[in-house]
Amino acid sequence: RLADGGDALLLRFTPADGYYLYRDKITLRLKNAPGIRATRPANAHWPKAEPYHDEHFGDVAVYFKPFDLRVPLQRHSAAAADA
């Protein structure tokens, strides 16, 4: 993760070979960062996911390859944090 200014983080997701991430199952949370909360990016800011039929969840959108995602932060404090 990298800071993207003071109001966002840039995250890189890297699924292991043979695995995939469900776009709608990804949750974001900061630990040990009082006064700062990660917010879910708007749908338009997510990279394009691949349609996939999963035997448990049906038709879903997944990521097979690494991708970067800019995660907006909601700050209630201007102090720096180590997240």
Side-chain angles (χ1 to χ4, degrees):
R1 75 189 168 230
L2 297 172
D4 187 5
D7 295 323
L9 293 175
L10 182 61
L11 303 180
R12 168 154 290 179
F13 292 86
T14 306
D17 288 341
Y19 291 87
Y20 49 89
L21 298 175
Y22 299 95
R23 178 183 158 170
D24 294 335
K25 301 293 183 190
I26 295 172
T27 58
L28 307 166
R29 177 180 45 176
L30 290 179
K31 286 183 164 185
N32 303 321
I36 305 173
R37 184 173 71 86
T39 62
R40 188 170 179 84
N43 284 340
H45 294 157
W46 287 79
K48 183 175 171 62
E50 298 182 44
Y52 185 75
H53 183 79
D54 182 272
E55 65 183 77
H56 301 287
F57 297 111
D59 293 329
V60 293
V62 300
Y63 296 105
F64 289 99
K65 298 178 182 173
F67 66 95
D68 293 340
L69 180 65
R70 184 179 185 275
V71 177
L73 300 176
Q74 188 174 56
R75 299 179 68 90
H76 299 287
S77 169
D82 236 356

